Amino acid sequence: MNVTSFFSENIKAALKNDPPGEWMPNLPENIIRLSSGYPTPDLMPVDEMKDAVANLFEEEKDLPLHYLGSPKMDKLREQIQQRLLERGIDVSDKELLVTSGACQAIDLIARILIDEETVVMTESPTYMEALEIFKNYTQHFMTIPLDQDGIQTDVLEDMLAERKRKKLTLPRFLYTIPTFQNPTGTTLSQERREHLLKLASIYNFLILEDDAYGELSFHSSPRPLKAMDKENRVLHVGSLSKVVSPGMRVGWVACDPEFINALFWFKKDLDHSFSQASMASFLEKVDYQNRLSVLRETYRVKCDVLLSALQQYLPKSVSWYVPDGGYFVWVKISGVDTGELLEKALDEGVSYIPGKFFFLEKQEGSEYLRLSFSYEGEMEIREGIKKLGKVVKSFM
């Protein structure tokens, strides 16, 4: 039997792409994981979550285990709305959809907005899993370069004007991580935020704002694009993965009610009702602001350790952006293929993600790599950069 003959044509096309997760290196034991964009293990709320689940069962007995789920699911919506309001985003019940993580939210948005001819814009580089999702639906992309102030909106304006002049199909939406971007750690300046929203209005496109790291500032967080959005063009995606737990799979979309209705149509009842109820029970008891303060300070210190080690152990020709929050530092090693370098780094005992996986055209990322300071401890970070410096110097 020819199994693939039963697939739809769009699925056949999608399966020609690289498989999901190709970017993740196979890690030997005892490796220093500067590749892992995971929360710091020491601050995972194990005991608090255990108490939250116990309280949930004490209050609601069997309800969280049923199809219909727990009344706490509605409480979670209210808690998310409050978090958004504190960041300047005021959304009603009809403007919010809770999802199973941010990736489900991005995939649902792709399902309702993208067809085979749709042009999608992304930053370059950008989050590799978002690229994997979009490539399942279309092969038409515009990529806009970044610098230390985020996506270069002047370049974007020129590209849009050129497409309009040539009567080419204009893009339907831009996917952007404007705050503490993955992989570069950069943050879109206020001036460019305003310019981007103006361009969206002029050229009639939507903005998919991925705000996964937005609360993890070292100093102060800029206003989300959604908080500045006067035309309802921004679909704001958020998550509790980076500030509470990725395994709980709690994310959301905040946007126009008509978009929410369409997203709900395809999401159906694919909720993780037990996870959502447990998260609501957790958020009822935890001092969220204090948790954020601890996370921010922890990651700020770890980032400083990594930056100091880069300065000490890497050759002077190596450069990087200095982030104001998030998890990542983006490094450029001119003249070195970081994909080839990785094998030697793994042998030395340290891992990272080669830059090629964050670009639509992989060769554009050959000289870059992403380092994460979120997962490992301070001593391991310093030792990992020391090992990386040794490998880089031998390779150059």
Side-chain angles (χ1 to χ4, degrees):
M1 181 177 69
N2 182 2
V3 173
T4 58
S5 68
F6 293 94
F7 291 150
S8 65
E9 292 304 313
N10 62 318
I11 294 300
K12 290 178 184 176
L15 290 174
K16 293 177 182 177
N17 297 323
D18 293 331
E22 184 200 18
W23 49 270
M24 187 176 294
N26 293 318
L27 300 181
E29 288 188 28
N30 302 318
I31 199 87
I32 296 176
R33 295 169 174 256
L34 300 185
S35 56
S36 296
Y38 303 155
T40 183
D42 293 346
L43 293 179
M44 293 297 283
V46 176
D47 292 334
E48 296 93 332
M49 194 59 71
K50 190 190 307 182
D51 291 341
V53 172
N55 292 336
L56 180 65
F57 281 130
E58 182 68 27
E59 290 178 31
E60 299 188 353
K61 311 303 180 192
D62 60 310
L63 288 180
L65 302 178
H66 281 291
Y67 281 120
L68 291 177
S70 155
K72 283 281 196 295
M73 294 174 70
D74 289 333
K75 181 66 176 178
L76 177 62
R77 294 172 58 83
E78 295 173 12
Q79 291 163 335
I80 292 170
Q81 284 172 295
Q82 182 59 37
R83 295 306 314 155
L84 291 173
L85 187 60
E86 291 181 16
R87 302 193 62 217
I89 303 172
D90 188 0
V91 292
S92 67
D93 286 347
K94 293 181 179 180
E95 296 173 300
L96 181 70
L97 181 70
V98 179
T99 60
S100 297
C103 273
Q104 187 193 41
I106 294 169
D107 187 65
L108 286 169
I109 291 169
R111 287 184 69 178
I112 72 164
L113 295 185
I114 302 176
D115 53 40
E116 292 179 0
E117 301 306 314
T118 301
V119 178
V120 172
M121 296 184 288
T122 71
E123 299 162 329
S124 185
T126 192
Y127 177 42
M128 60 284 208
E129 291 193 30
L131 280 180
E132 290 174 352
I133 289 170
F134 300 143
K135 286 163 68 177
N136 286 338
Y137 296 92
T138 185
Q139 295 300 311
H140 303 287
F141 291 90
M142 290 172 56
T143 58
I144 302 92
L146 294 168
D147 60 21
Q148 66 273 12
D149 293 318
I151 190 170
Q152 297 181 35
T153 55
D154 55 342
V155 175
L156 171 59
E157 183 172 25
D158 290 343
M159 293 171 70
L160 290 167
E162 180 71 2
R163 288 188 75 88
K164 186 173 183 179
R165 186 181 67 79
K166 292 182 175 179
K167 295 183 168 50
L168 298 174
T169 303
L170 290 174
R172 189 163 296 172
F173 71 88
L174 166 71
Y175 171 74
T176 177
I177 312 168
T179 307
F180 319 136
Q181 201 245 12
N182 181 5
T184 65
T186 58
T187 295
L188 190 64
S189 67
Q190 179 65 23
E191 181 182 359
R192 290 187 184 181
R193 287 172 191 253
E194 293 170 1
H195 190 202
L196 180 57
L197 289 166
K198 181 178 179 181
L199 292 176
S201 180
I202 293 171
Y203 290 96
N204 192 31
F205 62 84
L206 302 171
I207 298 171
L208 199 177
E209 178 184 26
D210 186 342
D211 194 46
Y213 305 91
E215 291 189 296
L216 293 177
S217 59
F218 300 155
H219 308 290
S220 61
S221 295
R223 292 179 70 201
L225 291 169
K226 185 63 178 173
M228 303 166 60
D229 178 23
K230 297 178 181 177
E231 297 184 3
N232 250 357
R233 291 185 177 274
V234 177
L235 293 85
H236 178 91
V237 171
S239 168
L240 291 173
S241 292
K242 307 301 185 290
V243 294
V244 181
S245 161
M248 296 297 288
R249 309 310 302 140
V250 174
W252 60 83
V253 189
C255 57
D256 185 278
E258 289 191 59
F259 289 135
I260 292 293
N261 185 55
L263 294 167
F264 176 76
W265 196 271
F266 288 97
K267 177 174 172 283
K268 304 183 187 296
D269 64 347
L270 298 179
D271 284 310
H272 288 189
S273 53
F274 180 67
S275 287
Q276 290 183 22
S278 298
M279 182 64 78
S281 182
F282 168 81
L283 292 174
E284 278 183 331
K285 303 295 184 183
V286 73
D287 184 337
Y288 189 85
Q289 205 58 48
N290 181 68
R291 178 170 178 81
L292 270 185
S293 296
V294 172
L295 288 171
R296 288 167 174 167
E297 179 62 13
T298 298
Y299 292 137
R300 184 193 65 78
V301 171
K302 286 188 173 189
C303 182
D304 285 348
V305 169
L306 189 145
L307 294 172
S308 174
L310 286 173
Q311 193 75 39
Q312 181 176 353
Y313 295 116
L314 271 290
K316 300 301 181 186
S317 60
V318 176
S319 60
W320 53 86
Y321 292 134
V322 176
D324 289 321
Y327 277 12
F328 307 115
V329 172
W330 186 240
V331 178
K332 182 178 183 181
I333 310 175
S334 297
V336 172
D337 186 324
T338 60
E340 295 179 9
L341 182 72
L342 180 60
E343 185 175 344
K344 294 186 180 297
L346 293 175
D347 289 341
E348 188 64 29
V350 62
S351 67
Y352 59 81
I353 304 293
K356 64 182 180 180
F357 295 112
F358 301 95
F359 289 85
L360 194 66
E361 301 297 333
K362 289 187 176 181
Q363 67 273 14
E364 294 181 31
S366 63
E367 295 182 322
Y368 295 90
L369 59 87
R370 189 195 76 180
L371 297 172
S372 171
F373 50 81
S374 61
Y375 183 74
E376 295 285 9
E378 295 173 33
M379 185 172 66
E380 289 79 11
I381 290 171
R382 178 168 289 279
E383 181 63 22
I385 298 301
K386 184 177 181 180
K387 290 175 180 290
L388 179 62
K390 177 181 175 181
V391 172
V392 170
K393 289 172 182 174
S394 69
F395 213 79
M396 295 178 73

